[in-house]
Amino acid sequence: MTPLYILTGGFLVLVAALYFIFRRIRSVANYRYQDYGPVTDPMPGAPTDEEAADYTNKYCTRLEDFVIDESVNDYDLQKLAVLNGIKLQISRAWYPLVLDLIRELDQLGWDRKVSCIKEKYASLRFYTDYTYNEVINKYTERSEKVCETCGEKGMVRYHGWEYVACRKHYLQARGLVTVLPEGFNYNGRTFSWSQVVAMNFDDKNHIGIYRHLEIHLDKKQFPKLQPPDLGVRIYNSVVGYGALLHHLPLHMPGLDYDWIDRFRTVSYCDICGYEAVYRDSCECCENDTRYLLDPDQNHRHRAVLYGQLEWLTDEGAYYETLEPHYRKNPDHKIIYTQQDIDDWE
C-alpha cells in the first residue's frame, strides 16, 4: 500500500470522525423538547423553538456543566436525558416529581449520571449510583400516588396493565359497554349480535378469573377491516361488563356458559351502595365483597368502613353521581364519621 493511499484513508477517517462529533454537538446545542412519555399524555404537542427559548441548560453541552437549581424545568429534564444518552420514558405529569428528585440528589453531591428514567409496574424507575437508593425509593413510592395523566392525586390501577391514575382518568381508561336491544355499544362503537361470529373468554389469571372477553366480528360484514381489527376485546374492568355478560346471546360458539352463569345475579354493594356486585366483587367500586361471609361482625364492619373511606377519598361517589351507571340502593348507609375521615387522611 503506497503512502498516498494511507494518507487518503487517514484523511477520510478523520473527516468522518469530525462529522459525527459536529452532529453530536449541534444536536445538543440546538436541543429541542421531545416527549417520550406513554400514550396516555394529555399535554399538547412539542413547543416551538420560540416557546422553549429560555431554560437554564439550553446551551449546556457537557454533563459536568449541567445546572440543577430551583429554576430548572421540563426542558432541562429533557436536556439531562440527552446529555446522558437516554430517553425519558415517563409521562409529562411525572416531570415535576423527577425534578424534585434531581434537586435533592444534587444536594447530596450527585454526579448527574443516570442510565434510565422510566415507568415500570406503575412506579418510577431512576437508575443511578446505588448509594442514592434511599432517596430514590422515596420518590418511587410517591410516584405511585401521582396520576400519570394529569399529575393530581392518584392510585395504582389495573386495566390490562398497571398504571397510576386519578378517578377521572381511570374511568376514561376503563371504558364503557352498554347493552342495546340487538347488540351493544363499546366506547362509542355500536355492534349488533348479527355481526358477531364467535366469542370466547381469554387470559385466565392464577385464581381462575378471565381477564377479558374476545368478540370476533363477521368478515363479510366488515370487508374493509383486516383480521387484527375484526376482534373486540372487552376487559373485565370495563364499566358495564357484568350486565353485558348477563345479556350475551345463548349458544354463541366458543363461550363458557358456566362462567357466564356466575353473573346471572347482581346485588347491592354495602360500600358504594350501587347495584353492581357480581360473584364476589363490586364492579362499581371494585371492592372484594367476600367480607360478607366473615362470621365476625367486627371484621365485616371494618371492611365496610375502610372500603367507604377509600371510595370517598378516591372521589368514586362524586364521579358516579355525575354520570350514574348503576342503580343506587335507597337504603344504603354511610357508617364513617368525620373523625374517621380525619384519621384516614
Side-chain angles (χ1 to χ4, degrees):
M1 182 177 294
T2 65
L4 179 60
Y5 284 122
I6 295 175
L7 290 174
T8 303
F11 176 76
L12 292 176
V13 171
L14 178 61
V15 170
L18 290 174
Y19 171 75
F20 285 112
I21 291 173
F22 171 75
R23 288 198 60 181
R24 173 63 177 170
I25 292 174
R26 189 178 65 173
S27 66
V28 175
N30 296 334
Y31 172 74
R32 180 178 174 183
Y33 175 93
Q34 295 182 37
D35 179 21
Y36 298 108
V39 175
T40 308
D41 192 341
M43 310 294 185
T48 63
D49 291 333
E50 291 74 22
E51 292 172 322
D54 296 316
Y55 61 98
T56 303
N57 294 283
K58 183 176 179 66
Y59 299 105
C60 178
T61 59
R62 298 195 316 156
L63 194 58
E64 295 81 1
D65 300 327
F66 189 85
V67 175
I68 298 178
D69 57 24
E70 289 303 315
S71 66
V72 294
N73 57 29
D74 292 359
Y75 309 119
D76 293 289
L77 184 58
Q78 290 281 359
K79 172 59 78 66
L80 179 65
V82 168
L83 293 175
N84 276 282
I86 64 173
K87 293 182 179 181
L88 289 179
Q89 300 176 68
I90 57 173
S91 71
R92 292 169 65 182
W94 276 9
Y95 284 11
L97 184 75
V98 177
L99 285 170
D100 286 342
L101 169 58
I102 67 172
R103 291 189 186 103
E104 186 165 344
L105 291 177
D106 184 61
Q107 294 175 359
L108 298 174
W110 180 51
D111 62 4
R112 299 168 178 75
K113 293 180 180 178
V114 55
S115 59
C116 184
I117 304 176
K118 68 178 181 180
E119 177 273 339
K120 184 177 181 181
Y121 300 129
S123 60
L124 173 67
R125 297 293 190 269
F126 190 97
Y127 299 150
T128 186
D129 193 309
Y130 71 92
T131 58
Y132 302 108
N133 282 354
E134 184 175 350
V135 175
I136 294 170
N137 289 341
K138 178 176 65 175
Y139 283 88
T140 295
E141 292 179 5
R142 289 183 185 178
S143 69
E144 296 172 356
K145 299 178 182 178
V146 178
C147 176
E148 296 181 58
T149 304
C150 65
E152 297 297 323
K153 182 180 178 181
M155 59 188 296
V156 177
R157 319 279 187 172
Y158 181 84
H159 184 70
W161 63 92
E162 288 184 321
Y163 63 103
V164 188
C166 62
R167 167 61 56 173
K168 174 184 176 180
H169 290 111
Y170 175 54
L171 287 175
Q172 292 179 4
R174 281 185 74 180
L176 173 66
V177 59
T178 54
V179 179
L180 304 176
E182 300 298 330
F184 64 97
N185 182 287
Y186 179 49
N187 290 341
R189 298 178 64 194
T190 298
F191 303 91
S192 66
W193 296 125
S194 62
Q195 295 172 321
V196 177
V197 293
M199 288 188 281
N200 64 278
F201 295 103
D202 200 3
D203 194 14
K204 183 182 291 187
N205 65 15
H206 66 284
I207 58 175
I209 296 177
Y210 294 109
R211 296 186 188 275
H212 51 77
L213 171 68
E214 294 281 356
I215 299 178
H216 307 279
L217 304 176
D218 186 355
K219 173 65 175 176
K220 295 179 180 179
Q221 299 193 48
F222 297 92
K224 295 184 179 180
L225 294 182
Q226 298 300 314
D229 300 318
L230 287 171
V232 178
R233 175 175 294 180
I234 303 179
Y235 284 93
N236 61 12
S237 57
V238 169
V239 176
Y241 179 82
L244 175 68
L245 265 57
H246 180 72
H247 291 87
L248 289 178
L250 297 176
H251 311 300
M252 179 66 68
L255 277 183
D256 181 349
Y257 282 95
D258 290 336
W259 177 253
I260 294 174
D261 287 341
R262 303 185 187 189
F263 291 82
R264 295 301 183 190
T265 59
V266 59
S267 57
Y268 289 115
C269 176
D270 288 345
I271 292 178
C272 66
Y274 289 95
E275 189 180 39
V277 176
Y278 296 92
R279 296 172 38 256
D280 53 11
S281 64
C282 177
E283 184 179 286
C284 181
C285 66
E286 299 180 285
N287 276 288
D288 190 330
T289 56
R290 285 175 292 183
Y291 62 85
L292 293 173
L293 302 176
D294 195 319
D296 190 315
Q297 183 176 354
N298 290 329
H299 290 173
R300 293 199 302 272
H301 178 83
R302 283 197 297 272
V304 175
L305 174 63
Y306 296 155
Q308 288 188 353
L309 287 170
E310 185 174 271
W311 178 242
L312 173 70
T313 56
D314 192 33
E315 299 185 297
Y318 170 72
Y319 280 101
E320 187 59 29
T321 302
L322 287 181
E323 189 175 352
H325 299 104
Y326 307 94
R327 184 166 56 183
K328 185 68 178 288
N329 183 357
D331 299 323
H332 179 244
K333 296 181 180 180
I334 297 296
I335 64 173
Y336 56 75
T337 64
Q338 184 59 49
Q339 185 61 52
D340 291 326
I341 296 175
D342 295 340
D343 293 342
W344 180 263
E345 294 178 346

